[in-house]
Amino acid sequence: VTLTLSQQLFAGGMGRVTIMKKKMYIAAFGLFLASFAFRFTGLLDNHPFWVDEFSTANQARLILQHGLSYFTNTGINVEHNNYIYHVLVAFFFTFLGQHEWVARLPSVIIGSLVPVAVLFLGMAAYNFRVGLLAAILTTTSYFQIVWSRQARGYMLQELLSVLAFMLYIRVIANKKHSKWTYISFVGICILGILTHFSYWLILGTLAIHFVLL
């Protein structure tokens, strides 16, 4: 069967897209594994908490003790920032026990996802090469590794910020995206606000940019 020139060009274009997707998925998987290795190593040494981590563990215990009433009970001291991370720690405490390393494990996993999100952000803003280089730097960054090993919501806040920027770029670059892109963007923003009030700064930045477009 002889293909027309248009069919050949279309087939070639589809082939390149498929190869790029494979490269992207392989890179994302490799980045996560490398990031997790850097961040998990030594976690089981169970180093004692520092001040803010004590607060995280205490809030997670309160969630396990009071259940949903934790969010409305005025008789307990509730930390209104980092809601999402406290719930994650409580979930991990339920299945893995109440240990220092368990309280830090959600941050390790989330911190390992940040380079993957940076890869997609770089691809949305520039191209695969830029995204990959930025993701590698994020994977091996001393500061990223250190903060990914704390029982706090820092990395969750960073992950949600990167995802918000990525989705925002996709929306303004092509307003014909499916409704799920918009729903995802709104969902990420809500999670960001529930994680920390400072997320409003991220939303304010995006709003200013959108107005100035």
Side-chain angles (χ1 to χ4, degrees), residues 165 168 185 189 193 197-212:
F165 281 120
Y168 174 75
F185 177 71
C189 292
I193 294 169
F197 294 153
S198 64
Y199 199 82
W200 283 108
L201 295 174
I202 301 297
L203 299 184
T205 301
L206 296 180
I208 292 172
H209 182 270
F210 184 78
V211 170
L212 296 177

Side-chain angles (χ1 to χ4, degrees), residues 1-200:
V1 178
T2 303
L3 298 176
T4 66
L5 178 59
S6 296
Q7 290 173 326
Q8 292 175 17
L9 292 173
F10 178 77
M14 291 300 293
R16 286 191 293 272
V17 170
T18 302
I19 293 173
M20 178 55 67
K21 282 188 175 181
K22 287 182 179 179
K23 288 172 61 177
M24 179 184 68
Y25 291 136
I26 291 172
F29 185 65
L31 286 166
F32 176 79
L33 290 181
S35 298
F36 187 82
F38 280 124
R39 288 151 178 77
F40 185 78
T41 300
L43 190 73
L44 297 180
D45 291 344
N46 229 33
H47 296 296
F49 285 142
W50 61 283
V51 178
D52 286 1
E53 289 182 310
F54 277 111
S55 176
T56 298
N58 181 58
Q59 293 296 311
R61 285 181 170 182
L62 289 174
I63 291 172
L64 292 177
Q65 180 181 350
H66 296 279
L68 291 177
S69 65
Y70 162 86
F71 299 99
T72 57
N73 192 332
T74 58
I76 58 178
N77 182 24
V78 175
E79 182 184 343
H80 295 289
N81 277 319
N82 294 306
Y83 271 144
I84 303 299
Y85 192 78
H86 296 155
V87 171
L88 285 174
V89 173
F91 177 80
F92 277 68
F93 274 177
T94 300
F95 295 98
L96 298 176
Q98 298 185 21
H99 308 284
E100 287 87 345
W101 72 270
V102 176
R104 293 167 178 147
L105 184 58
S107 188
V108 168
I109 296 172
I110 294 167
S112 301
L113 289 171
V114 169
V116 178
V118 169
L119 169 67
F120 293 131
L121 173 60
M123 291 178 64
Y126 297 99
N127 53 50
F128 176 77
R129 184 177 182 182
V130 171
L132 181 60
L133 290 174
I136 291 173
L137 290 174
T138 306
T139 299
T140 57
S141 167
Y142 170 80
F143 297 103
Q144 293 288 325
I145 294 172
V146 169
W147 291 115
S148 294
R149 293 163 58 84
Q150 313 297 316
R152 297 295 288 168
Y154 308 130
M155 300 314 297
L156 179 58
Q157 180 81 337
E158 181 177 352
L159 177 63
L160 294 173
S161 298
V162 173
L163 290 175
F165 281 120
M166 179 197 69
L167 290 170
Y168 174 75
I169 290 173
R170 288 185 175 180
V171 167
I172 63 173
N174 181 6
K175 296 182 179 180
K176 293 183 179 180
H177 273 294
S178 70
K179 64 179 181 180
W180 293 111
T181 301
Y182 295 95
I183 292 174
S184 298
F185 177 71
V186 172
I188 290 295
C189 292
I190 292 173
L191 288 175
I193 294 169
L194 291 175
T195 298
H196 202 282
F197 294 153
S198 64
Y199 199 82
W200 283 108

